Amino acid sequence: MRGMTETLSIGERVAWYRRRRGMSQEVLAGLVGRTADWLGKVENNRADLDRLSVIKSLADALDVQLGDLLAEPSLLDWTQDVKGRTVSVLREALMDYRQLSPLLSGEANGFRPDLEVLRQEVGDAWTAYQEGRFARTARMVPSVLSLAQAATRSYNGDQQLEACRLLAMAYQSAAQVLTKIGETELAWIASDRGLSAAQESGDPVIIGSLFRSVTHCLLANGRFDSAKQLTADAAGFLQPHVSKASPEFLSIYGTLFLAGSVAASRSEDRATTRTFLAEAEESARRLGQDANHMWTAFGPTNVAIHRVGAAMELGDVQLALDQGPQLDTSQMPTERRVRHALEVARAFSARNQTDDALSLILDAEKLAPEQVRYHFIPRQLVTSWIRRQHGRPSLALADLAQRIHVIESR
């Protein structure tokens, strides 16, 4: 089903799966604590499904994955700087049986990657991700993983520990981009391998970073309560290092709580959302300014971005509109700027300010077309706007719908 229904709205997919299950609207609505009238409006595009907690409850009742209702695209588009295989190459790298055990990996054949070169290549992969260039990231990571794996086998002592740190961060870059494009099973493999490498390094900063990666994987799979609990457990593990924390540690620690706040808001836990955001804010206060240590883009602005996102997940649309539009994200990495713009667009749309929402999405698309293409918010909004048009949609809306593949090409 996924990949075959990119042109359907979320409500239309709910109807498709409901009928396939042989369920009436009354039964499904009852399972999620809603009325049949509400469900009928959702399925007929007269009411938006704009909260992941509600979409997840419908997915659970229909016994499908969250991604099935979000209809994440099944293909990563080729781009001007990347033509040819992308995710398939990364899949092969992650499923290479020789990486399962050092007993299967063979000899290093005397090849010893330069750690400084490897460090630069890991950084380049993360930079591509933060620029929203997902195809490029997916294409870069397999070779970086290969080099990092070779480094862990060919060095000893402190240099081997550094190789493990770099391998962990390479796996995390893979997990991040795979999560963004809906390849959640592969992302889980990458996060699991990355956490193992992080533990081998013994570095609490790297371990904390990979805890965040696992949290994102749980979020992508709709396991919001598990992601929330992992945040608490990981924070407990990292707590002994907080008092003498480096900027890198503060950034990782704070960002872990930001990921946890997403989980808490999506599970409609207001108290925990407030607690996690307060913890992140304290780390940002200690850090003192926006920074990008360990590719976290962490600081006061990222905390504010997550406050807006949490407000939307909890249904506090007016709060998101009060805080979101005036937030200056111009110094943030592209991925963060675009993610915030999409959240504000969702808030505008919820207040029927479609022109403002469309303008934000078009501006975001100029910055990171791949990110807009693969995120569920613009896909959902554009599909619902098209469905509700009484006449022909505007040229700007129609063209955007074709570019992100939510309607058939003319």
Side-chain angles (χ1 to χ4, degrees), residues 161-172:
L161 295 179
E162 175 62 10
C164 287
R165 286 191 283 268
L166 293 171
L167 177 59
M169 296 307 296
Y171 272 124
Q172 187 176 1

Side-chain angles (χ1 to χ4, degrees), residues 172-184:
Q172 187 176 1
S173 68
Q176 292 291 100
V177 73
L178 288 166
T179 298
K180 287 288 188 183
I181 62 176
E183 293 281 356
T184 55

Side-chain angles (χ1 to χ4, degrees), residues 92-397:
E92 289 172 6
L94 292 174
M95 301 186 75
D96 183 352
Y97 73 88
R98 290 170 296 183
Q99 306 309 323
L100 296 177
S101 168
L103 299 176
L104 304 173
S105 59
E107 297 295 328
N109 297 321
F111 174 60
R112 178 174 291 188
D114 185 287
L115 291 180
E116 188 56 43
V117 172
L118 177 58
R119 190 177 298 109
Q120 181 63 49
E121 295 204 9
V122 170
D124 289 345
W126 272 96
T127 297
Y129 168 77
Q130 290 194 318
E131 291 174 348
R133 300 163 71 188
F134 297 157
R136 181 168 177 78
T137 308
R139 188 61 177 266
M140 294 172 66
V141 168
S143 64
V144 179
L145 286 174
S146 179
L147 286 174
Q149 289 157 353
T152 61
R153 296 192 296 267
S154 56
Y155 284 102
N156 296 304
D158 290 343
Q159 290 178 311
Q160 185 182 54
L161 295 179
E162 175 62 10
C164 287
R165 286 191 283 268
L166 293 171
L167 177 59
M169 296 307 296
Y171 272 124
Q172 187 176 1
S173 68
Q176 292 291 100
V177 73
L178 288 166
T179 298
K180 287 288 188 183
I181 62 176
E183 293 281 356
T184 55
E185 290 82 4
L186 290 177
W188 182 264
I189 292 173
S191 291
D192 178 69
R193 302 256 181 92
L195 185 56
S196 295
Q199 292 170 333
E200 287 291 327
S201 78
D203 187 333
V205 172
I206 303 298
I207 294 171
S209 191
L210 269 296
F211 279 146
R212 176 170 64 103
S213 185
V214 176
T215 302
H216 284 152
C217 286
L218 291 171
L219 284 170
N221 280 288
R223 298 182 61 188
F224 305 143
D225 288 334
S226 295
K228 183 173 63 174
Q229 186 60 53
L230 174 58
T231 300
D233 292 344
F237 173 82
L238 296 171
Q239 183 62 38
H241 304 279
V242 171
S243 61
K244 297 180 180 180
S246 65
E248 291 77 14
F249 184 93
L250 285 173
S251 298
I252 290 298
Y253 191 69
T255 310
L256 175 66
F257 280 111
L258 291 183
S261 74
V262 176
S265 63
R266 290 180 182 175
S267 62
E268 300 186 299
D269 184 345
R270 289 179 176 271
T272 303
T273 301
R274 287 194 296 269
T275 297
F276 284 172
L277 285 171
E279 290 284 357
E281 192 165 46
E282 173 60 18
S283 291
R285 185 195 65 77
R286 290 182 61 187
L287 188 63
Q289 61 185 357
D290 292 327
N292 197 27
H293 299 296
M294 302 296 297
W295 304 285
T296 57
F298 184 71
T301 301
N302 208 350
V303 175
I305 287 172
H306 279 76
R307 285 194 181 280
V308 173
M312 283 303 298
E313 293 295 348
L314 292 167
D316 300 330
V317 177
Q318 192 55 53
L319 180 60
L321 285 173
D322 290 342
Q323 297 180 358
Q326 65 267 28
L327 183 59
D328 181 8
T329 64
S330 60
Q331 301 305 307
M332 290 283 101
T334 299
E335 185 274 334
R336 288 287 81 206
R337 293 175 63 188
V338 169
R339 182 64 183 86
H340 176 66
L342 298 182
E343 204 65 73
V344 177
R346 179 161 62 149
F348 276 133
S349 183
R351 289 289 186 260
N352 294 317
Q353 295 175 242
T354 304
D355 289 344
D356 292 326
L358 176 58
S359 179
L360 277 175
I361 292 176
L362 290 173
D363 288 343
E365 187 191 25
K366 293 176 184 176
L367 291 173
E370 290 178 72
Q371 187 172 350
V372 170
R373 160 80 169 98
Y374 283 91
H375 202 281
F376 87 93
I377 288 178
R379 297 175 56 76
Q380 174 193 355
L381 293 180
V382 171
T383 303
S384 65
W385 296 337
I386 292 286
R387 292 290 192 274
R388 293 177 186 178
Q389 292 286 321
H390 296 298
R392 292 176 64 87
S394 69
L395 182 61
L397 177 57

Side-chain angles (χ1 to χ4, degrees), residues 38 41-42 45-51 349-350 380-381 384-385 388:
W38 170 84
K41 290 178 179 178
V42 164
N45 300 304
R46 289 182 288 122
D48 284 333
L49 278 173
D50 56 4
R51 296 175 62 190
S349 183
Q380 174 193 355
L381 293 180
S384 65
W385 296 337
R388 293 177 186 178

